[in-house]
Amino acid sequence: MDSIDPSRVFPLGSRSVKRLGYGAMQLAGPGVFGPPKDRDAALAVLREAVASGVNHIDTSDFYGPHVTNRLIREALHPYPGDLTIVTKISAKRGADGSWIPAFSPEELTQAVHDNLRNLGLDVLDVVNLRSMFSIHGPAEGSIEAPLTVLAELQQKGLVRHIGLSNVTPTQIAEGRRICEIVCVQNYYNLAHRDDDAMIDDLARDGIAYVPFFPLGGFNPLQSSTLSDVAARLGATPMQIALAWLLHRAPNILLIPGTASVAHLKENLAAANWALPDDALKELDHIANAESA
């Protein structure tokens, strides 16, 4: 693992994006449902992210629903020329905030049009098809039918690039037979490392890997080892967790989310941390301890 170059970028379709981006999910209300607690603060975070050099924002029209996309449009439209906005489809929200699979051709097509309208775009940079065979993690099942619908929308000029989310290696292989896949977005962090082999395989093929919940998500990472390393290096535990991911593989693109400008700045500073070999070895053992 090499030291981090904060200016390093990685291809995301036809764009090159900085490896530390921003995920908009936390801008919606509790449970990613309803409006934000503080609308002005949400808009400020988005504007600060772009002002700080972020050029990769992750979102979805089912966050809210419609909440984060409309905030992004209000805060940032017209968008900077180098900004890449990545969204995802294949789910919808129940009136109680539940997550419901939305895999039919009509639902997928509507989702693309909803994202276009609420973001104020004529074409979406990247659309991830999220596998919904299990809400809680990857589960086997053919994605051929929904991905073919998305590929047809790409051919119509509504989508530039296609990615996959919440998928298994078998589904990635199936997807790559249907269309070009530019990124994979799965659950992965310092303590949850089921995708180690997948990340290395994708790196060899120049495909981006975007870990969601890079800091543990709704249950933030807790580790005495992580805290000890952070204290020794003069950083916060979350900065070190993000820095470890940047060291882990060159194709990892990070999208940590926050509704706080202060926390955003703290996250972005993680790009400046080059972890010494002894720290990397200690951190690498966290996953083993978690699974023991």
Side-chain angles (χ1 to χ4, degrees):
M1 294 184 182
D2 299 324
S3 61
I4 301 169
D5 175 358
S7 64
R8 189 175 300 171
V9 297
F10 192 83
L12 187 56
S14 56
R15 302 287 191 97
S16 288
V17 300
K18 295 178 182 177
R19 294 184 59 209
L20 193 44
Y22 174 74
M25 185 177 72
Q26 291 189 30
L27 296 184
V32 202
F33 194 66
K37 296 178 181 178
D38 186 333
R39 182 179 185 82
D40 289 341
L43 296 171
V45 168
L46 287 163
R47 290 168 179 148
E48 180 63 31
V50 170
S52 298
V54 167
N55 63 359
H56 170 205
I57 292 178
D58 181 86
T59 185
S60 174
D61 211 52
F62 56 70
Y63 293 165
H66 317 306
V67 169
T68 60
N69 281 356
R70 290 171 180 172
L71 287 169
I72 289 168
R73 180 176 184 173
E74 181 177 347
L76 303 175
H77 195 278
Y79 301 113
D82 69 336
L83 179 63
T84 297
I85 299 177
V86 180
T87 188
K88 66 184 68 64
I89 61 173
S90 77
K92 59 185 178 181
R93 307 303 294 278
D96 59 352
S98 57
W99 302 82
I100 303 169
F103 254 11
S104 73
E106 295 77 16
E107 289 170 321
L108 295 168
T109 301
Q110 185 63 51
V112 165
H113 284 283
D114 286 346
N115 277 281
L116 287 167
R117 182 181 63 257
N118 286 315
L119 286 168
L121 292 169
D122 296 321
V123 57
L124 298 171
D125 292 325
V126 183
V127 175
N128 288 326
L129 179 75
R130 191 184 200 280
S131 173
M132 292 291 288
F133 294 104
S134 171
I135 294 174
H136 304 292
E140 296 295 356
S142 176
I143 60 171
E144 179 178 1
L147 188 58
T148 298
V149 172
L150 184 53
E152 290 170 353
L153 293 168
Q154 182 185 39
Q155 291 165 10
K156 291 179 180 179
L158 299 178
V159 175
R160 287 197 181 93
H161 302 289
I162 293 173
L164 299 173
S165 178
N166 198 42
V167 286
T168 68
T170 300
Q171 289 164 336
I172 295 172
E174 180 183 36
R176 294 182 70 186
R177 290 192 292 269
I178 296 168
C179 62
E180 181 186 9
I181 300 299
V182 301
C183 59
V184 171
Q185 188 179 97
N186 272 9
Y187 176 32
Y188 183 86
N189 56 47
L190 185 59
H192 184 92
R193 298 181 56 180
D194 292 353
D195 280 359
D196 269 337
M198 178 192 293
I199 290 169
D200 295 335
D201 289 342
L202 294 172
R204 284 190 287 271
D205 290 337
I207 298 173
Y209 182 92
V210 187
F212 62 75
F213 293 157
L215 299 175
F218 299 114
N219 298 298
L221 291 172
Q222 299 291 330
S223 165
S224 58
T225 300
L226 176 61
S227 297
D228 290 346
V229 170
R232 192 165 74 238
L233 296 178
T236 69
M238 296 301 97
Q239 285 176 322
I240 297 302
L242 292 173
W244 179 87
L245 285 165
L246 291 172
H247 280 80
R248 169 61 185 84
N251 62 324
I252 286 182
L253 301 177
L254 297 184
I255 50 168
T258 178
S260 157
V261 168
H263 190 203
L264 171 73
K265 292 179 178 179
E266 182 180 294
N267 286 344
L268 295 178
N272 299 310
W273 290 98
L275 302 179
D277 288 342
D278 60 339
L280 288 171
K281 290 177 181 177
E282 290 179 65
L283 295 170
D284 281 339
H285 289 308
I286 290 176
N288 296 332
E290 290 285 329
S291 61

